[in-house]
Amino acid sequence: MPARIHNFSAGPATLPMEVLEQAARDIVNFNDKGIGLIEMSHRSKDFIAVADETESLLREILGVPAHFKVLFLQGGASLQFAMVPMNLLGPGKKGAYLNTGTWSKKAIKEARLFGDVQVAYSSEESNFNHVPSPNEYQVDEDAEYLYYVSNNTIFGTQFHAIPQVAPMLICDMSSDILSRSFDFSPFGLIFAGAQKNMGPAGCTVVFIREDLLDHTPAGVATMLKYKTHADADSMFNTPPCFAIHVIGLVLKWIKKNGGLAALEQKNREKAALLYQTIDNSSFYRGHARSDSRSNMNITFNLPTPELEAQFIKEATALGLDGLKGHRSVGGCRASIYNAFPKEGIVKLIDFMGDFEKKNR
Amino acid sequence: MPARIHNFSAGPATLPMEVLEQAARDIVNFNDKGIGLIEMSHRSKDFIAVADETESLLREILGVPAHFKVLFLQGGASLQFAMVPMNLLGPGKKGAYLNTGTWSKKAIKEARLFGDVQVAYSSEESNFNHVPSPNEYQVDEDAEYLYYVSNNTIFGTQFHAIPQVAPMLICDMSSDILSRSFDFSPFGLIFAGAQKNMGPAGCTVVFIREDLLDHTPAGVATMLKYKTHADADSMFNTPPCFAIHVIGLVLKWIKKNGGLAALEQKNREKAALLYQTIDNSSFYRGHARSDSRSNMNITFNLPTPELEAQFIKEATALGLDGLKGHRSVGGCRASIYNAFPKEGIVKLIDFMGDFEKKNR
């Protein structure tokens, strides 16, 4: 096996090597049962134990209150953009949204199909380079919820405090769940695609307050009602078994490495190294406003698109992969989720220094 | 590693060992790139090549005509029960259904939410022990389509001829796709969950005639429109990358083993061995009517529920796993998809003989 590259991809993203190795063994022969994990009936005792353990680790590590259901769904965050308003809005009901990037914008578009929408704040005019502070917006009193995206993968911004407003919060935590601890009490529903901090693509975890399960209007398809999945412990139909198992392996790795407190500390340190490099240079320019900087996705530009292309090319040759920024921002993006090692960041910083010297 | 068991599970189900072993290697280090398959961006060149190859193998092996799109979706067949009428019906439009088991019944329930439904035939009164022959039903002239389930996993029945009717056909082929060849021309849309003959749970393959992509009424959520996924080559959002890759590996295995013609022959032979055993015994009783018997799922009962429980227990101890029938039929079910080896069937037949002698 050649040297492992440093994978800065925004998602699917780097996972811990020990998780990959365990998943590989389990695919061929799960727990020495003479059957591969992906061949097992989802209704077998062995697989139900896998799903139960993944759920109980999520509850333990995140501190999920007992009155929240944990669901393992399919369709990605993009399907949640529609399922949230389908289940929680309806004719005459309103959802409030903070528009802080591509994903909130898509969620707003879907919400308009199923109810009224208040866009309480938008940072679109500054190309989503920041998230608002609580005194910068007001949520309509008749809104059912305030929806926001805790971390904006594409623009590299992140909420560092949970909005404090009257209606319940709905949050898309796809790109920073499990990177820090938080209090569930202001939330009604949280969802996150697995493919950044949790595991492989193909599973979306939804945390929903139980009392919301009965809010769904009539006429919603069975598979699109949260209640369907809550009542069947996410086994109304065949769930994404492999992804659920790998999420469980990642959670064990998190627990072994000190849980969210330790990860949060490491994530801050990792990001600070890169932001310092950017701040100490006039060659590299951060996209996100300092107060809104993400600890997961660091977005930056170089003086010209030509230099950016050259930078990415040389970095890739050094095994620093996936640094090309999203077309909405251009430039570069270093995604450094939980499993991304500090050594990779040090290597990137060294390269950034060398590249600046040569090309300044 | 202990002896590999014989896994008669109805799905997720047995996969070829060489596929499992390759998948295991790819998870840790894909193509010696120093990155695991499940860590790679779905927009990377390497993953796009994986998805393209899977699609092109499906097209080659199944003979998919050029005017059909191939989509890799999430949510299982159960989400298709809703997506089909959401996209192809609407107020005043009618779908005709053949009700031949649990899955068609669920599809009928969803269709009623989005349009009118004609149940053109139902075998429910005989506990779904058969499928109709073409002269046993008439489809309303104003129906947009005739929907049927080609193989009924739970009841062990299968259509051995494609219905010949005027409107286009829609077919749920979840449990017999890739087990035999067929002509696409009467079909408008075919879908199949991967977790029987194709690969792991978490991916649903949809084949849709291109002209149907524009039939969707207004107001359907973006993720639930077939056109969204067709226009984006199934990459509108992150697809179930791992499942798509394993489907590709299974397709390579199918090609290497002679394609659908060879598999169809083997599947017939495998099923015939079991049906002969049932027919030659007054101890075992098949559930499905002889003209409707499935080559994928063989359902049978023993003289008493106590004997059935004993049979399943002793079989499991011998490494013949997953033989418990679905509660709707009771008794036993042997699911013997493409990758299930003939040796396992011979072993089951031997055991059936022994058990009958001891308990007759």
Side-chain angles (χ1 to χ4, degrees):
Chain A
M1 179 177 155
R4 187 157 155 80
I5 61 169
H6 288 296
N7 172 19
F8 289 95
S9 167
T14 285
L15 292 171
M17 182 45 97
E18 64 191 78
V19 166
L20 298 180
E21 287 171 344
Q22 185 63 49
R25 286 190 291 272
D26 294 340
I27 278 183
V28 176
N29 186 10
F30 180 71
N31 278 0
D32 268 343
K33 303 258 177 189
I35 183 173
L37 175 88
I38 59 175
E39 304 177 298
M40 284 163 44
S41 167
H42 57 297
R43 306 212 185 270
S44 64
K45 271 185 207 156
D46 289 321
F47 185 74
I48 289 173
V50 165
D52 285 350
E53 187 177 22
T54 301
E55 176 178 340
S56 98
L57 284 165
L58 270 173
R59 287 188 177 274
E60 178 189 341
I61 291 170
L62 279 167
V64 183
H67 64 291
F68 275 74
K69 285 276 186 185
V70 179
L71 311 178
F72 300 109
L73 305 185
Q74 295 183 62
S78 296
L79 186 57
Q80 295 309 306
F81 301 165
M83 277 180 72
V84 164
M86 252 184 209
N87 281 272
L88 301 178
L89 297 182
K93 285 192 176 181
K94 187 193 281 178
Y97 283 73
L98 300 179
N99 183 23
T100 60
T102 306
W103 306 114
S104 52
K105 213 174 154 180
K106 289 192 180 209
I108 290 166
K109 184 184 164 205
E110 298 308 302
R112 290 202 164 110
L113 296 171
F114 304 103
D116 297 333
V117 169
Q118 179 211 1
V119 178
Y121 186 86
S122 174
S123 55
E124 189 163 12
E125 283 191 8
S126 59
N127 199 20
F128 298 118
N129 74 347
H130 68 282
V131 298
S133 54
N135 59 358
E136 289 185 278
Y137 57 88
Q138 274 216 308
V139 175
D140 288 352
E141 276 186 17
D142 59 347
E144 302 288 321
Y145 57 73
L146 175 66
Y147 177 110
Y148 77 109
V149 180
S150 56
N151 184 78
N152 297 283
T153 334
I154 291 177
F155 300 95
T157 65
Q158 187 175 24
F159 280 83
H160 293 291
I162 289 173
Q164 298 300 327
V165 289
M168 67 179 172
L169 299 175
I170 308 275
C171 189
D172 174 357
M173 288 197 190
S174 293
S175 56
D176 67 357
I177 195 155
L178 293 172
S179 74
R180 57 181 177 183
S181 55
F182 64 92
D183 171 21
F184 268 72
S185 53
F187 294 96
L189 187 154
I190 293 167
F191 65 85
Q195 68 271 19
K196 283 107 165 40
N197 273 329
M198 282 198 286
C203 183
T204 315
V205 180
V206 174
F207 306 90
I208 181 168
R209 232 173 54 202
E210 267 176 349
D211 63 290
L212 298 174
L213 295 171
D214 294 315
H215 282 219
T216 309
V220 173
T222 306
M223 279 291 288
L224 301 171
K225 289 179 190 170
Y226 291 117
K227 190 169 164 49
T228 298
H229 303 287
D231 287 350
D233 288 330
S234 303
M235 299 248 185
F236 175 76
N237 69 335
T238 316
C241 302
F242 174 71
I244 292 171
H245 177 57
V246 179
I247 293 170
L249 297 177
V250 169
L251 292 166
K252 284 179 200 171
W253 173 84
I254 289 176
K255 203 173 153 180
K256 204 175 81 180
N257 285 278
L260 297 194
L263 275 176
E264 184 168 354
Q265 180 62 25
K266 273 188 200 156
N267 286 328
R268 270 183 215 277
E269 288 168 12
K270 278 155 51 183
L273 286 174
L274 263 172
Y275 285 123
Q276 276 161 23
T277 306
I278 291 169
D279 288 342
N280 292 338
S281 148
S282 55
F283 187 78
Y284 300 104
R285 228 170 344 103
H287 174 74
R289 218 169 65 182
S290 332
D291 62 354
S292 302
R293 282 170 163 176
S294 166
N295 288 328
M296 299 282 103
N297 313 95
I298 285 87
T299 46
F300 58 97
N301 290 77
L302 276 70
T304 67
E306 292 70 29
L307 281 169
E308 287 167 344
Q310 185 63 23
F311 178 90
I312 290 159
K313 195 178 153 191
E314 290 183 23
T316 307
L318 290 171
L320 302 165
D321 201 62
L323 283 165
K324 192 170 192 300
H326 191 274
R327 63 184 179 281
S328 322
V329 184
C332 303
R333 173 173 54 177
S335 296
I336 51 170
Y337 300 113
N338 282 347
F340 192 94
K342 191 173 159 184
E343 309 88 83
I345 292 166
V346 172
K347 199 170 167 191
L348 173 58
I349 289 170
D350 286 349
F351 169 66
M352 287 170 77
D354 292 348
F355 190 87
E356 181 175 353
K357 268 183 221 143
K358 270 194 277 175
N359 295 283
R360 195 161 34 194
Chain B
M1 178 175 154
R4 188 157 153 81
I5 61 170
H6 287 297
N7 172 21
F8 289 95
S9 166
T14 286
L15 292 171
M17 183 46 94
E18 65 190 77
V19 166
L20 299 179
E21 288 171 343
Q22 185 64 48
R25 285 190 292 272
D26 294 340
I27 278 183
V28 175
N29 186 9
F30 180 72
N31 277 0
D32 267 344
K33 302 258 176 187
I35 183 172
L37 184 269
I38 60 175
E39 304 177 298
M40 284 163 43
S41 168
H42 57 296
R43 306 213 184 271
S44 64
K45 270 185 208 156
D46 288 321
F47 185 75
I48 289 173
V50 165
D52 285 350
E53 186 177 22
T54 301
E55 177 179 338
S56 98
L57 283 165
L58 271 173
R59 287 188 177 276
E60 178 189 340
I61 290 170
L62 280 167
V64 183
H67 63 292
F68 275 75
K69 284 277 187 185
V70 179
L71 311 178
F72 300 108
L73 305 186
Q74 295 184 63
S78 295
L79 186 57
Q80 294 309 307
F81 300 165
M83 277 180 71
V84 164
M86 251 184 211
N87 281 272
L88 301 178
L89 296 183
K93 285 191 175 179
K94 187 193 283 177
Y97 283 74
L98 300 179
N99 183 22
T100 60
T102 305
W103 307 113
S104 52
K105 215 174 152 179
K106 289 192 179 210
I108 289 166
K109 184 184 164 205
E110 299 307 303
R112 290 203 164 110
L113 295 171
F114 304 102
D116 297 333
V117 169
Q118 181 212 359
V119 178
Y121 187 86
S122 174
S123 55
E124 188 162 14
E125 283 190 11
S126 59
N127 200 20
F128 298 119
N129 74 348
H130 67 282
V131 298
S133 55
N135 58 359
E136 289 184 278
Y137 56 87
Q138 275 215 308
V139 175
D140 288 351
E141 275 187 16
D142 59 348
E144 302 288 322
Y145 57 73
L146 175 66
Y147 178 110
Y148 77 110
V149 180
S150 56
N151 183 77
N152 297 283
T153 334
I154 292 177
F155 299 95
T157 64
Q158 188 175 25
F159 280 83
H160 293 292
I162 288 173
Q164 299 297 329
V165 290
M168 67 180 170
L169 299 175
I170 308 275
C171 188
D172 174 357
M173 288 197 190
S174 293
S175 57
D176 67 357
I177 194 155
L178 293 173
S179 74
R180 57 182 176 182
S181 54
F182 63 92
D183 171 23
F184 269 72
S185 53
F187 294 95
L189 187 155
I190 292 167
F191 64 85
Q195 69 269 19
K196 284 108 164 42
N197 273 329
M198 281 199 288
C203 184
T204 315
V205 180
V206 173
F207 305 91
I208 182 169
R209 231 173 54 200
E210 266 176 350
D211 62 292
L212 298 175
L213 296 171
D214 294 315
H215 282 220
T216 310
V220 173
T222 307
M223 278 292 287
L224 301 170
K225 290 179 190 172
Y226 291 117
K227 189 168 164 51
T228 299
H229 303 285
D231 287 352
D233 288 329
S234 303
M235 299 251 186
F236 175 74
N237 69 335
T238 315
C241 302
F242 174 70
I244 292 171
H245 178 56
V246 179
I247 294 171
L249 297 178
V250 169
L251 292 166
K252 284 179 200 170
W253 173 84
I254 290 177
K255 202 173 154 179
K256 205 175 80 178
N257 285 278
L260 297 194
L263 275 176
E264 185 169 354
Q265 180 62 25
K266 274 188 199 155
N267 286 329
R268 270 183 215 277
E269 287 169 11
K270 279 155 52 183
L273 286 173
L274 264 171
Y275 285 123
Q276 276 161 24
T277 305
I278 291 169
D279 288 342
N280 293 338
S281 150
S282 55
F283 187 77
Y284 300 104
R285 228 171 343 104
H287 174 74
R289 218 170 63 183
S290 335
D291 62 354
S292 302
R293 283 171 161 176
S294 166
N295 288 328
M296 299 282 103
N297 314 92
I298 284 87
T299 47
F300 58 98
N301 290 76
L302 275 70
T304 67
E306 292 70 29
L307 281 170
E308 286 167 345
Q310 186 62 24
F311 177 90
I312 290 159
K313 197 179 152 192
E314 290 184 24
T316 307
L318 290 172
L320 301 166
D321 199 62
L323 283 164
K324 193 172 192 301
H326 191 274
R327 63 185 180 281
S328 323
V329 184
C332 304
R333 173 174 53 177
S335 297
I336 51 170
Y337 301 113
N338 282 347
F340 192 94
K342 192 173 159 185
E343 309 88 82
I345 292 165
V346 172
K347 200 172 166 189
L348 174 58
I349 289 170
D350 285 349
F351 169 67
M352 287 171 77
D354 292 347
F355 190 86
E356 181 175 352
K357 267 181 223 144
K358 271 193 279 177
N359 296 283
R360 197 163 31 196

